[in-house]
């Protein structure tokens, strides 16, 4: 029993069924907020450390309403892509929940939210400690809306690809590509983005990427294999072990009704049941066609 199994056994009742509905719902609220009044989010709901330290503690929760779509000239195109994104991740998330169970999926996603948040905020305070001049400027320690969970959502696809590597996705709705190749391409691109963020000093985004990837890696490691697949692997292993330990029935399995010989006495003999005899009479190949048929009076 691995670490995640022990957690599920003890806290399994805290799993949230249909979690992706709430995730998509929060994102839809963020889209509506971005279209109606994005400034309201930045002024009152974003993760502003300065305001949090001055009493606006609700920002520790409301920052999740990040407006991924804002009112601009390409609003219609952005809404279409958001709809495609929402449909795809809802499908992936619900599939993972059906395979893992509500607790495991809740642990993966909400645990990832907390982990990414702590990693990002921790990286910011490390930046303040290494650059003490920033503390001299009032409100310089403002994270604004920099903590989002787009990269965490993308790791859902990595988990899906780990479980279903041969499932095909249509690129541009035309080109079929297997999930395992898309996941490899994603890891290459996201790795390059992480290097670029570090080299350019964009530590917030680097922390977001690293936090999401580390969350997936920890879940994979403590699950001891592919997320959701390790349970099926253990079940298969138990079946193999049971078959190996199962004992063969004692004594011979076949016995000739005429001569009494068994497969243990003559391994080359073949044994058949006679269809004309009344009852279960088995004969060796030497007596199958020469015996007298048994008829019950």
């Amino acid at each position: 029993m691995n670490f995640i199994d022990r957690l599920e056994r003890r806290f399994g009742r805290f799993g949230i069924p249909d979690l992706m509905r709430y995730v998509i719902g929060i994102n839809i609220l963020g889209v509506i907020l971005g279209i109606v009044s994005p400034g309201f989010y930045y002024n009152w709901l974003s993760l502003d450390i300065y305001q949090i330290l001055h009493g606006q503690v609700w920002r520790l929760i409301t920052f999740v309403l990040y407006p991924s779509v804002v009112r601009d000239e390409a609003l219609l195109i952005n809404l279409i892509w958001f709809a495609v994104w929402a449909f795809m991740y809802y499908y992936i998330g619900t599939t993972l929940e059906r395979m893992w169970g509500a607790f495991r999926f809740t642990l993966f996603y909400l645990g990832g939210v907390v982990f990414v948040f702590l990693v990002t905020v921790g990286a910011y305070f490390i930046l303040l400690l290494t650059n003490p001049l920033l503390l001299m400027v009032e409100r310089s320690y403002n994270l604004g809306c920099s903590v989002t969970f787009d990269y965490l959502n993308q790791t859902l696809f990595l988990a899906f690809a780990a479980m279903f590597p041969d499932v095909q996705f249509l690129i541009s709705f035309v080109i079929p590509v297997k999930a395992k190749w898309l996941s490899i391409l994603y890891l290459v691109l996201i790795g390059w983005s992480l290097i670029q963020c570090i080299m350019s000093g964009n530590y917030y985004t680097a922390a977001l990427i690293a936090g999401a990837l580390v969350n997936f890696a920890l879940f994979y490691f403590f699950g001891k294999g592919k997320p959701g697949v390790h349970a099926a692997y253990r079940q298969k292993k138990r079946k193999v072990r049971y078959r190996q330990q199962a004992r063969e029935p004692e004594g011979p399995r076949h016995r000739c009704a005429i001569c009494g010989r068994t497969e243990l006495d003559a391994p080359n003999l073949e044994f058949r049941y006679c269809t004309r005899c009344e009852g279960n009479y088995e004969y060796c190949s030497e007596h199958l066609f020469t015996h007298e048929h048994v008829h019950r009076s």
Side-chain angles (χ1 to χ4, degrees), residues 64-94:
V64 299
L65 294 172
Y66 174 70
S68 55
V69 175
V70 296
R71 184 172 51 201
D72 58 15
E73 297 178 355
L75 177 60
L76 180 59
I77 296 177
N78 291 335
L79 286 176
I80 293 175
W81 279 111
F82 173 79
V84 173
W85 169 90
F87 174 80
M88 183 181 69
Y89 280 107
Y90 179 78
Y91 164 74
I92 291 176
T94 52

Side-chain angles (χ1 to χ4, degrees), residues 3-78:
F3 179 70
I4 295 180
D5 289 333
R6 290 194 292 270
L7 286 179
E8 184 175 13
R9 191 170 184 177
R10 186 170 183 178
F11 304 106
R13 63 184 182 278
F14 296 109
I16 303 176
D18 297 323
L19 177 60
M20 281 307 296
R21 291 186 180 182
Y22 303 107
V23 173
I24 299 300
I26 289 174
N27 281 271
I28 292 175
L29 290 177
V31 169
I32 296 174
L33 185 62
I35 295 174
V36 175
S37 178
F40 181 81
Y41 173 83
Y42 300 133
N43 294 330
W44 295 101
L45 305 178
S46 64
L47 192 62
D48 188 331
I49 299 298
Y50 178 85
Q51 296 295 350
I52 290 174
L53 296 177
H54 286 75
Q56 297 183 9
V57 293
W58 63 81
R59 292 175 179 265
L60 292 171
I61 298 176
T62 58
F63 77 94
V64 299
L65 294 172
Y66 174 70
S68 55
V69 175
V70 296
R71 184 172 51 201
D72 58 15
E73 297 178 355
L75 177 60
L76 180 59
I77 296 177
N78 291 335

Side-chain angles (χ1 to χ4, degrees), residues 6 11 52 77 87 109 114 127 129 195 234-235 254 260 267 284 292 294 296:
R6 290 194 292 270
F11 304 106
I52 290 174
I77 296 177
F87 174 80
Y109 195 87
V114 174
L127 179 64
L129 294 176
I195 294 174
R234 290 199 308 273
Q235 183 178 6
H254 305 284
C284 66
E292 294 184 3
V294 178
R296 296 177 181 177

Side-chain angles (χ1 to χ4, degrees), residues 168-222:
Q168 291 186 344
F169 288 85
L170 295 179
I171 304 301
S172 300
F173 305 101
V174 177
I175 305 173
V177 181
K178 291 185 177 181
K180 59 183 177 182
W181 304 121
L182 289 177
S183 63
I184 293 174
L185 177 62
Y186 170 77
L187 288 174
V188 171
L189 295 177
I190 203 67
W192 176 244
S193 298
L194 179 61
I195 294 174
Q196 285 184 319
C197 290
I198 295 175
M199 294 179 63
S200 62
N202 187 1
Y203 299 113
Y204 303 146
T205 304
L208 285 170
I209 296 174
L213 293 178
V214 170
N215 176 68
F216 171 76
L218 289 175
F219 196 85
Y220 188 97
F221 174 78
F222 285 109

